[in-house]
Amino acid sequence: MKKYLLIAFLLVVSIGFSQNIRFEGVVKDSTGLGLEMANVMAINNDTKAMDAYAITNENGKFILNLKASSSYQIKASYIGFQSYEKQVDTKNTNMVFDIEMSQGVQLKDVEVVYEMPVSISGDTIIYNSDSFTNGTEKKLEDVLKKLPGVEVNKDGEIQVEGKTVQKIMVEGKDFFDGDTKIATKNIPADALDKIQVLRNYNEVSNLKGLENNEESIAINIKLKEGKKNFWFGDLTAGVGVGHEEDRYLINPKLFYYSPKYSINVIGNLNNIGELPLTMRDYFKFTGGFKNMMRKGGSSFNVSSNDLGILGLRNDQAANINTKFGAANFSYNPSKAWTLSGFGIFLGNKTDVQTNSVNDLPEGASVNAVEEKEDISRQKSDLGIFKLSSSYVPSAKLHFDYDALLKFSNQKENQSVFSTELGDIYTNKNQKPFSINQNLNYYYTLNDKNVFAFESQHLYQQEDPFYNANLQNLAFNLGSDYNTMQVRDDISQQRFVKTNKIDVKFDYYYMLTPKSNVNVTVGNTYSYQNFDSHIFQVLDNQSVNDLDSEDSNNDVNYAFNDVFLGLHYKFIKGKFTFNPGFSVHNYSTNDVQLGTSNKQSFNRFLPDFFAQYQIKKSESLTYNFSLSNNFTDIVKLSEGFVFSNYNSLFSGNRNLENSLSQVHSLRYFKYNMFNFENIFANITYTKQVDAIKNKALLTSANQVTSAVNIDSNFADETFSGAANYGRSFARYYKASAGLSLNWSKFNNIRVLPTTEENIQTTESFSQNYNVRFSTNFKKYPNLSLQYAFSINDNSSSVFYTDNPSVELEYFFLEAFSFVTEYSFYHNRNKEKTIDTEYDFLSSSLTYQKKDSKVEWKLSGTNLLNTKALNSNSFNQLGGTNSFSSYIVQPRYIVLSMKYNL
């Protein structure tokens, strides 16, 4: 396999570099001064195509790779200068060619007709979509992968400069705000004109330059003229054959954009494992709501009480049936007022089968390992709705309101067969509901004074129900539990309700054009109710209510944080500094077991931001923050909660907050001269008095409670990542990257044969990858990637090799062939685990030029791989688990797409 990949790589490189010469020079003005960011391109006189382009560096230098012994028109442009154009015949050797430009207005008759593939305007990078496509692209994701400095992972997340893109807009209008996957998987590639990457993005113009937005990136899609003021989209329908059942796919997409309003409608029905949105995406879907308290110094997050019913990706489930529908709109009643919103429905039926080998903690059992088979059937219906209103009558005033509604109905039936615990049957169901509302007001009084008021309210209720039918119950649930039953049928009903309000007022005063003072007054208030009840179903189907305090929770919890913050931001040359602090008064009160437990204290929390702007597109940024971390009601409730059939948890009302310090350093460089993209970051986190687990481990079971670990045993994490990418000779894109993560965690562990002790576990994970891809217009294109990972923990070391190759070829002006192959090799250091598996998928598409109909024959898992493998580490038990997931079998689908 490796030999064939090397041959393919050398073949592609030889095609690209054969008979090319280096054509370089300097673009300068009449005084000889080099012009930075000037555009230079070479138009082939025979083919009329643009063979190469470049953007000059800070000295005005450019480099083009051109064909030898060919005739070109060399064109150059620069703002404030007349366009330059001259015919040049290349030789068989490298050439030096300087360009002198004249100041003046650009004349229409010598305008540069060809558009530059990439250009920069302020903080915006603009990509011309057609310059990077070869005919095989079907959706936005396919185009983004080919852009310099842009990466798209398998989950549809977009990364630019190592930062995750937070928002995608089309023609300046939000496209399902809060998630980028729907856009990358559904916006058609042939509708794209320009892709604008908006760095340092802030949607509130009043605050631009006042806040630090270096981590904020958005993308705006500009459509081709033929796609504006017209309905466009497509309808795909397909049928296929697979193991034991037929396959189907129905996927309509409809879009309309005009200056006044826009509408997007997307649907998907399939059983081929195509997931427009996963349950993981659903739970992290923010709706675009920002963390308004990020500078407050406190961390109080409402934890989820879900039961872990997660629909997995198609390569991690034996079978998936999906129903998906989504609609997005934007409407402008006036120039100042915008109404927008969306609705999303997702329905999944998922079969998951897992076989695993789990190490047991030494001393917890007479056996060293547990072998387990886990079969689950999940059904979920999820809904998300958002409505937004934004009123911006002038540059001085901005008022907006948002409401995000999320609800779901989820069920799971699970059968577990364990060599340690016997056979186990569980049922889970839950119907969580939440509504999140934002109300924000921003006002610029004058050049010196800016006011901002932000408020957010969260109402959330959760009602998870859990039932486990066990061969043996390993836990002591009190004297009223009936132990004289053939099997142990135990259930727990929970209900958690949360009301949380955040209010913040900011005042910005401009001391000078390059400095300002920010005063913040804020308040976070949360009130929660938690009720739970454990009961037993006897062999005769009667119910035995467990009345002990351990088996029930009835808790109310209030949290309040009032704070005052002060920050000073100033620019000195190439440096930006933003030191500050916040002063807090905290008060908490939990009521349970017939008593009230109140706490109140004050805390001073500093933070610091610094940035060194080395060049226009090169910077070094440092962040420091000290924050108080608070738990919510779940870990304070002292009655038992079933985490799983083999895990029982009880809270601790005497928990105190933990204190964490975070240091981060980020380097970024984007060089338009050679399209070099470099980013690196390191982060160190230390958490003192952390809330950790105290666990009694018996066999594969554990009874856990929450405690504060002594400050001498701090949790520490050090992580780092780096990536080097470059696009060169227009046809090639290469990158190399790594990520490292070292962590040390402390927990209290109790074994049947030992006394209580602090268990310190360390883990060190390393991930390395290299990528190389081509982007020819007429030749086949290859994308080669190799990833290698090492997971080193306290008990073992695991290695994973993952080479992959993707081939794209558009030929005969109508056919498009795409195939992807991935190989995985998992093993541990002791060689007791050594497995290999691979995946192959292919598609052949036929569509004549200007035809509205496209035919596609596609095959997934063509090698009929049965399962994929993974390993994980349990920091509490200090043990490893190696799992094998049964995946969907091979299937082939024939589909037809009709383009509107």
Side-chain angles (χ1 to χ4, degrees):
M1 177 64 189
K2 293 181 180 178
K3 179 178 70 174
Y4 294 124
L5 289 178
L6 179 61
I7 293 174
F9 172 79
L10 294 176
L11 175 63
V12 172
V13 172
S14 64
I15 291 174
F17 280 109
S18 58
Q19 297 181 341
N20 276 7
I21 66 158
R22 182 185 178 102
F23 187 89
E24 62 181 302
V26 175
V27 177
K28 52 191 175 182
D29 63 15
S30 57
T31 67
L33 181 66
L35 299 177
E36 183 182 4
M37 304 294 288
N39 296 328
V40 184
M41 62 182 74
I43 310 300
N44 191 305
N45 287 329
D46 294 330
T47 64
K48 304 303 179 184
M50 180 171 58
D51 278 4
Y53 64 92
I55 297 176
T56 59
N57 66 5
E58 63 272 17
N59 299 316
K61 185 177 180 179
F62 70 91
I63 298 176
L64 302 175
N65 282 286
L66 303 181
K67 296 177 182 177
S69 302
S70 299
S71 178
Y72 287 96
Q73 278 188 328
I74 303 300
K75 296 175 179 280
S77 63
Y78 190 77
I79 297 175
F81 286 74
Q82 296 182 21
S83 295
Y84 175 93
E85 183 175 335
K86 188 171 183 179
Q87 183 167 314
V88 174
D89 295 326
T90 59
K91 303 175 183 178
N92 291 321
T93 59
N94 294 336
M95 297 177 62
V96 176
F97 186 86
D98 291 339
I99 297 173
E100 182 178 313
M101 302 194 69
S102 301
Q103 286 186 308
V105 180
Q106 181 170 291
L107 303 177
K108 289 186 178 181
D109 58 343
V110 293
E111 268 187 357
V112 179
V113 177
Y114 290 84
E115 291 189 84
M116 285 294 294
V118 187
S119 59
I120 289 184
S121 177
D123 286 332
T124 303
I125 305 175
I126 305 168
Y127 297 95
N128 183 40
S129 176
D130 288 344
S131 301
F132 298 93
T133 57
N134 56 43
T136 61
E137 302 81 11
K138 301 301 177 185
K139 51 188 181 293
L140 173 62
E141 175 184 30
D142 301 330
V143 179
L144 291 176
K145 289 179 178 179
K146 298 176 179 179
L147 304 182
V150 180
E151 300 291 341
V152 183
N153 64 22
K154 290 185 177 180
D155 292 325
E157 290 183 337
I158 310 165
Q159 287 196 328
V160 178
E161 305 166 5
K163 308 167 191 173
T164 301
V165 173
Q166 301 168 340
K167 178 196 288 271
I168 286 188
M169 298 172 287
V170 179
E171 294 291 333
K173 304 178 188 296
D174 289 347
F175 192 91
F176 294 95
D177 193 16
D179 180 79
T180 60
K181 181 175 180 178
I182 298 178
T184 58
K185 299 291 185 182
N186 290 283
I187 296 178
D190 61 3
L192 308 177
D193 181 26
K194 301 288 189 302
I195 299 173
Q196 300 173 333
V197 176
L198 312 175
R199 298 181 292 178
N200 303 319
Y201 177 73
N202 193 327
E203 56 190 331
V204 180
S205 60
N206 307 65
L207 302 182
K208 193 166 183 63
L210 299 177
E211 297 186 321
N212 303 317
N213 301 303
E214 287 71 19
E215 297 298 313
S216 182
I217 292 184
I219 285 180
N220 182 47
I221 304 297
K222 302 292 288 184
L223 300 173
K224 292 180 177 176
E225 287 302 321
K227 303 298 182 181
K228 299 176 186 178
N229 299 308
F230 293 97
W231 286 98
F232 69 95
D234 55 67
L235 171 64
T236 301
V239 294
V241 294
H243 181 68
E244 295 183 355
E245 65 175 310
D246 294 333
R247 303 287 167 172
Y248 63 86
L249 167 67
I250 302 174
N251 184 200
K253 304 173 188 176
L254 198 59
F255 309 93
Y256 182 86
Y257 281 89
S258 72
K260 196 172 184 66
Y261 67 92
S262 68
I263 300 174
N264 308 288
V265 180
I266 303 169
N268 198 311
L269 298 172
N270 75 85
N271 65 347
I272 63 173
E274 186 175 289
L275 292 177
L277 201 70
T278 67
M279 287 177 62
R280 281 191 176 91
D281 297 326
Y282 168 84
F283 282 109
K284 70 181 183 182
F285 206 112
T286 64
F289 280 43
K290 59 186 178 182
N291 179 15
M292 55 179 283
M293 293 298 188
R294 61 190 180 279
K295 289 194 302 182
S298 299
S299 174
F300 179 83
N301 297 314
V302 178
S303 63
S304 173
N305 288 276
D306 69 80
L307 294 166
I309 306 174
L310 293 178
L312 305 180
R313 294 200 305 265
N314 58 337
D315 61 353
Q316 290 182 312
N319 193 48
I320 300 179
N321 287 268
T322 297
K323 297 181 294 183
F324 175 80
N328 174 233
F329 82 94
S330 177
Y331 173 63
N332 293 93
S334 67
K335 290 184 178 180
W337 188 19
T338 301
L339 291 171
S340 62
F342 61 78
I344 299 173
F345 171 79
L346 174 67
N348 281 339
K349 292 182 180 179
T350 309
D351 296 333
V352 180
Q353 183 174 343
T354 308
N355 300 312
S356 59
V357 178
N358 308 315
D359 294 336
L360 298 176
E362 187 177 349
S365 172
V366 295
N367 300 316
V369 298
E370 173 199 25
E371 296 182 12
K372 187 170 66 173
E373 181 185 32
D374 187 330
I375 301 173
S376 302
R377 172 156 291 185
Q378 304 168 355
K379 183 180 184 300
S380 62
D381 294 312
L382 316 172
I384 310 174
F385 295 93
K386 183 185 179 184
L387 179 65
S388 298
S389 173
S390 179
Y391 180 64
V392 188
S394 68
K396 289 188 173 184
L397 179 62
H398 184 123
F399 175 75
D400 60 54
Y401 169 79
D402 304 280
L404 179 71
L405 174 68
K406 299 174 72 172
F407 61 88
S408 62
N409 184 1
Q410 304 164 62
K411 299 178 181 179
E412 179 186 77
N413 296 320
Q414 182 182 33
S415 301
V416 179
F417 305 97
S418 165
T419 57
E420 191 73 8
L421 304 178
D423 56 307
I424 301 153
Y425 306 94
T426 68
N427 295 294
K428 304 176 182 178
N429 64 73
Q430 57 190 16
K431 297 180 181 179
F433 166 86
S434 71
I435 180 168
N436 206 335
Q437 300 178 83
N438 256 356
L439 182 66
N440 305 312
Y441 180 85
Y442 309 94
Y443 179 65
T444 301
L445 179 63
N446 50 42
D447 292 341
K448 291 284 188 180
N449 302 278
V450 178
F451 301 89
F453 172 80
E454 298 174 321
S455 63
Q456 184 169 312
H457 173 246
L458 169 67
Y459 174 80
Q460 177 177 290
Q461 64 180 40
E462 300 170 285
D463 61 344
F465 174 80
Y466 182 76
N467 168 259
N469 189 298
L470 309 169
Q471 188 168 319
N472 293 292
L473 180 66
F475 310 119
N476 181 8
L477 295 179
S479 59
D480 52 352
Y481 182 81
N482 191 328
T483 60
M484 306 301 293
Q485 304 298 303
V486 176
R487 290 185 62 85
D488 291 283
D489 193 329
I490 196 77
S491 300
Q492 182 171 51
Q493 179 71 58
R494 284 184 274 166
F495 184 79
V496 186
K497 184 168 66 174
T498 299
N499 269 287
K500 180 172 176 281
I501 299 175
D502 295 298
V503 179
K504 181 166 69 80
F505 174 80
D506 279 290
Y507 169 62
Y508 299 89
Y509 178 72
M510 299 296 296
L511 297 170
T512 70
K514 293 187 177 183
S515 65
N516 70 76
V517 174
N518 170 215
V519 179
T520 306
V521 179
N523 179 225
T524 294
Y525 177 77
S526 173
Y527 187 80
Q528 296 179 289
N529 312 98
F530 179 32
D531 295 299
S532 70
H533 175 58
I534 298 177
F535 61 91
Q536 178 187 16
V537 178
L538 304 180
D539 290 344
N540 61 8
Q541 300 305 302
S542 63
V543 175
N544 175 29
D545 284 316
L546 306 183
D547 296 327
S548 68
E549 292 181 346
D550 286 341
S551 300
N552 296 274
N553 281 298
D554 184 4
V555 186
N556 297 324
Y557 176 58
F559 170 86
N560 193 62
D561 171 22
V562 180
F563 69 92
L564 173 68
L566 179 64
H567 289 81
Y568 173 48
K569 181 178 180 180
F570 63 98
I571 300 174
K572 191 72 173 177
K574 294 185 177 182
F575 292 91
T576 300
F577 299 98
N578 192 190
F581 64 88
S582 55
V583 181
H584 297 253
N585 174 257
Y586 299 104
S587 59
T588 64
N589 182 27
D590 76 270
V591 180
Q592 60 180 310
L593 304 175
T595 62
S596 176
N597 178 30
K598 296 182 179 180
Q599 299 182 39
S600 180
F601 63 97
N602 301 316
R603 185 61 58 86
F604 174 84
L605 300 171
D607 59 86
F608 183 75
F609 169 90
Q611 184 179 70
Y612 174 35
Q613 195 70 43
I614 304 170
K615 294 179 182 178
K616 287 183 179 180
S617 294
E618 184 178 11
S619 63
L620 184 66
T621 305
Y622 169 74
N623 266 296
F624 162 76
S625 65
L626 194 65
S627 63
N628 263 4
N629 305 309
F630 293 86
T631 185
D632 73 344
I633 195 170
V634 175
K635 290 189 176 181
L636 299 171
S637 305
E638 298 214 340
F640 284 131
V641 173
F642 270 102
S643 303
N644 206 339
Y645 59 84
N646 64 342
S647 179
L648 200 63
F649 174 82
S650 65
N652 178 0
R653 68 186 306 184
N654 296 312
L655 290 175
E656 299 178 351
N657 68 284
S658 64
L659 185 67
S660 65
Q661 57 173 296
V662 180
H663 302 262
S664 67
L665 186 66
R666 174 185 287 272
Y667 172 78
F668 155 71
K669 179 182 180 181
Y670 190 81
N671 189 341
M672 292 293 292
F673 170 64
N674 55 13
F675 299 99
E676 183 182 61
N677 181 59
I678 306 172
F679 75 84
N681 64 77
I682 54 174
T683 302
Y684 171 74
T685 302
K686 183 176 182 179
Q687 190 171 20
V688 180
D689 296 324
I691 299 173
K692 303 309 296 280
N693 291 312
K694 176 182 177 181
L696 170 63
L697 305 176
T698 307
S699 181
N701 302 300
Q702 62 183 42
V703 180
T704 309
S705 60
V707 296
N708 287 106
I709 291 283
D710 186 273
S711 59
N712 293 322
F713 295 90
D715 285 353
E716 295 178 274
T717 302
F718 178 88
S719 60
N723 190 82
Y724 175 86
R726 183 174 174 182
S727 296
F728 49 96
R730 188 183 179 187
Y731 305 108
Y732 306 96
K733 181 179 179 180
S735 66
L738 63 89
S739 63
L740 309 172
N741 185 283
W742 172 86
S743 59
K744 182 177 72 173
F745 294 105
N746 300 280
N747 294 281
I748 298 178
R749 190 170 74 168
V750 184
L751 299 172
T753 57
T754 63
E755 296 181 353
E756 177 181 304
N757 66 89
I758 293 181
Q759 172 77 11
T760 300
T761 57
E762 293 187 27
S763 62
F764 182 41
S765 63
Q766 306 167 61
N767 296 279
Y768 306 91
N769 67 80
V770 291
R771 300 183 182 92
F772 176 85
S773 60
T774 66
N775 194 14
F776 300 115
K777 292 286 186 179
K778 297 182 179 180
Y779 301 114
N781 286 293
L782 273 180
S783 176
L784 306 173
Q785 178 175 332
Y786 175 74
F788 176 65
S789 65
I790 306 172
N791 291 314
D792 185 355
N793 51 61
S794 298
S795 56
S796 187
V797 182
F798 285 86
Y799 306 93
T800 302
D801 296 282
N802 175 211
S804 62
V805 58
E806 183 175 355
L807 171 67
E808 297 179 348
Y809 188 28
F810 182 72
F811 58 99
L812 299 179
E813 301 298 326
F815 291 93
S816 176
F817 177 70
V818 178
T819 185
E820 183 176 359
Y821 173 80
S822 296
F823 174 82
Y824 298 84
H825 181 200
N826 292 327
R827 61 200 185 278
N828 62 359
K829 186 176 182 179
E830 298 79 13
K831 295 295 180 71
T832 57
I833 295 174
D834 195 333
T835 63
E836 296 179 352
Y837 62 94
D838 51 3
F839 286 97
L840 174 66
S841 62
S842 299
S843 67
L844 178 65
T845 304
Y846 172 75
Q847 183 179 18
K848 288 184 177 180
K849 187 177 182 181
D850 299 326
S851 173
K852 291 183 176 294
V853 178
E854 173 191 285
W855 293 93
K856 182 178 181 180
L857 182 66
S858 59
T860 301
N861 194 9
L862 292 174
L863 302 176
N864 209 27
T865 299
K866 302 299 182 183
L868 61 83
N869 305 313
S870 66
N871 60 275
S872 60
F873 175 68
N874 181 352
Q875 61 162 288
L876 184 60
T879 59
N880 290 288
S881 176
F882 187 81
S883 302
S884 176
Y885 296 90
I886 306 302
V887 299
Q888 285 190 317
R890 174 175 52 221
Y891 53 82
I892 298 174
V893 175
L894 175 65
S895 62
M896 183 194 76
K897 181 170 74 173
Y898 180 79
N899 295 287
L900 299 177

